[in-house]
Amino acid sequence: MAQRSDTWWQRNKFKLNALVLILPFWFLYDSLSPVFPPSWPTQKVGAFEVTPTPLTNDAPYQHHGDWVKDFSLQFCEGCVANIRQAYMAVAAEQPAIEDFAKSDLSILHGSSFAQHVHAKATAQPKAGDKVWLLIEDWQGQLHVGSWDWPQS
């Protein structure tokens, strides 16, 4: 009986080793070609055209003790240079810009190609909640836009 399992191992050990060598390439390919949900409608927020894209269709998750939802935002060409600071949050009412100074959550960061944000949210956003974008330009003007939270 022991001899039978030895022969099985002898016949298949190279196939198993090849599988172990191929798996990292599969995961590399999978990570280099992500699939994102569709972008939300482009809106004009002050002088800026913004297109938000949620990075997943999942509900908000906990990040350093706060609930957040990740977004990627594409701005019109040259718009990012005119932004002093921008914040995003999921809430029923428009948040005050002073509320964001307490932590580094909800601050947009990235490059001129795309901005990323961990938008502060509740654990389970409700119908009627909105995704708020607050943009402060270099002249100190505040521009506010919002998108309706999608119904699930």
Side-chain angles (χ1 to χ4, degrees):
M1 191 80 167
Q3 192 174 34
R4 177 180 243 186
S5 66
D6 281 347
T7 57
W8 182 90
W9 173 249
Q10 293 300 323
R11 280 193 322 247
N12 294 304
K13 66 182 176 182
F14 296 110
K15 295 173 190 168
L16 291 172
N17 284 329
L19 181 63
V20 168
L21 290 173
I22 291 171
L23 280 177
F25 292 103
W26 172 262
F27 289 116
L28 176 65
Y29 170 78
D30 200 37
S31 69
L32 291 176
S33 55
V35 177
F36 297 110
S39 296
W40 291 0
T42 300
Q43 284 190 18
K44 199 151 180 69
V45 179
F48 309 98
E49 279 191 23
V50 186
T51 307
T53 304
L55 295 186
T56 66
N57 284 326
D58 300 337
Y61 66 94
Q62 271 203 311
H63 178 71
H64 299 295
D66 290 310
W67 291 93
V68 296
K69 175 75 176 157
D70 290 341
F71 287 90
S72 173
L73 288 98
Q74 287 76 37
F75 285 86
C76 52
E77 190 173 334
C79 285
V80 173
N82 297 323
I83 296 173
R84 179 171 182 251
Q85 193 66 276
Y87 305 93
M88 184 177 256
V90 179
E93 299 292 323
Q94 176 184 332
I97 196 162
E98 294 80 24
D99 296 342
F100 297 109
K102 299 171 189 161
S103 72
D104 59 353
L105 280 180
S106 299
I107 298 175
L108 273 68
H109 55 280
S111 69
S112 59
F113 300 108
Q115 296 283 302
H116 177 78
V117 63
H118 303 287
K120 193 167 184 172
T122 58
Q124 292 296 326
K126 304 174 288 304
D129 283 356
K130 292 182 179 275
V131 177
W132 295 93
L133 177 63
L134 290 79
I135 302 173
E136 183 182 6
D137 62 19
W138 288 103
Q139 288 73 38
Q141 292 179 316
L142 184 64
H143 308 281
V144 180
S146 66
W147 289 262
D148 290 328
W149 184 259
Q151 302 298 321
S152 40

